[in-house]
Amino acid sequence: MLKQYVVDPAEMPWKNGDTEGVTFRGQVLLSGEDGGPEAFRFKFDPSIKVYAHMHLTSQFQVLLGGMMDLPKETMKMRPVGVLYTDHNVPYGPFSVGGDHHVLVLHPKRAGLVTMGNRDARKLINLTGRQIPGMEKDTEWFPIPGHEGARCKFLIPSMAGPEALMLECPPNMTIPVGAPLYGRYEVVLKGTVVIEGRSLGPPGLRYVEGDEQPSPLTAGPEGATVMFFSFDKDAREGGLTGDALSMLGAEAMAKAI
């Protein structure tokens, strides 16, 4: 069985919010309330510091604009940048700047918890992965059989989760495999047509299951698309029952 969600952010309202004194504008792209995925789009105020926290399920955080500097020297993220974390893996605090613009992509309803919460510290995933990747650090590869198309891996599949960037010529049909643990497909440039629906940046589709989804088709101007594929960690963590109140978690969906 295949789950599929298609979202055009141009159709979603923007709201102002704050959490722990951090102010931002945001969109709830997918709420996760139906048992499906949860996705947000944020634009944080510049020159702020975001408190240390952890997401309760796997996540891809995708930096589309501005900057995001984490404590480690190797974690100075610039667009297009990706940070993957397993469930309950803490990170931060981190600073942002410029025209900061980020997507937060979860395979299911997750929420987040500040590391100032002592109960949350007991749930830290000590063996969890934290994997960064940036477009500027990787090279393009041609795609055999598709003239004018090329790709690069910001996070290679050998890591488990995968972040793949694909640049397509006009009207190219993009076949996609079965997304067993869930996959986000995000438009970065141009347009993509999905079952007759045209999406521009940062329109997205989430698919999950053992069936092959319908292909994507690049628009007349071509398209750059990113594919964010989860692995088995996507089935861990997340919010169930009274988890929010029990942990005192700050769910971004509540904040906006």
Side-chain angles (χ1 to χ4, degrees):
M1 181 177 177
L2 181 71
K3 295 181 183 179
Q4 176 172 285
Y5 298 78
V6 179
V7 180
D8 185 351
E11 299 174 353
M12 312 301 288
W14 284 92
K15 297 181 181 180
N16 296 322
D18 70 84
T19 174
E20 296 288 308
V22 177
T23 57
F24 58 88
R25 296 181 67 231
Q27 292 176 297
V28 179
L29 303 179
L30 291 167
S31 70
E33 292 177 354
D34 65 349
E38 180 181 63
F40 304 99
R41 181 186 186 189
F42 295 117
K43 293 188 176 183
F44 286 104
D45 291 343
S47 302
I48 63 168
K49 181 166 285 190
V50 179
Y51 54 88
H53 63 276
M54 66 184 183
H55 294 242
L56 302 182
T57 191
S58 307
Q59 70 143 346
F60 283 100
Q61 192 158 148
V62 188
L63 184 66
L64 299 177
M67 55 175 279
M68 174 179 167
D69 287 351
L70 289 98
K72 297 178 182 179
E73 182 66 27
T74 57
M75 298 280 274
K76 294 186 180 298
M77 306 292 292
R78 300 295 182 268
V80 174
V82 180
L83 177 64
Y84 170 85
T85 59
D86 280 343
H87 74 286
N88 293 17
V89 172
Y91 64 102
F94 60 85
S95 58
V96 303
D99 187 15
H100 185 267
H101 181 191
V102 67
L103 299 177
V104 177
L105 308 176
H106 296 148
K108 57 185 173 182
R109 192 168 183 232
L112 60 84
V113 187
T114 172
M115 298 319 299
N117 183 315
R118 293 188 177 183
D119 289 333
R121 296 179 191 176
K122 301 174 185 177
L123 302 177
I124 290 175
N125 182 359
L126 296 175
T127 61
R129 298 163 296 180
Q130 185 181 87
I131 310 171
M134 282 189 284
E135 178 185 9
K136 70 180 184 65
D137 295 334
T138 56
E139 60 180 310
W140 289 104
F141 295 95
I143 301 176
H146 295 279
E147 185 177 355
R150 57 182 186 167
C151 67
K152 61 168 61 180
F153 290 91
L154 277 66
I155 298 176
S157 58
M158 66 184 69
E162 179 184 272
L164 169 68
M165 181 180 289
L166 179 63
E167 188 176 273
C168 309
N171 306 311
M172 174 181 164
T173 297
I174 309 167
V176 290
L180 183 59
Y181 296 107
R183 180 178 66 236
Y184 279 94
E185 302 160 352
V186 180
V187 182
L188 297 183
K189 296 179 183 178
T191 57
V192 164
V193 178
I194 303 173
E195 297 179 353
R197 185 175 180 182
S198 181
L199 296 177
L204 61 84
R205 177 171 74 168
Y206 178 83
V207 285
E208 180 184 335
D210 56 4
E211 298 177 14
Q212 185 173 359
S214 58
L216 313 178
T217 303
E221 68 276 54
T224 302
V225 187
M226 284 207 69
F227 299 85
F228 302 97
S229 300
F230 294 95
D231 66 3
K232 62 183 180 180
D233 189 79
R235 294 181 176 171
E236 302 294 329
L239 298 178
T240 58
D242 297 327
L244 268 178
S245 58
M246 180 178 67
L247 293 173
E250 301 82 23
M252 285 295 194
K254 298 289 185 183
I256 59 178

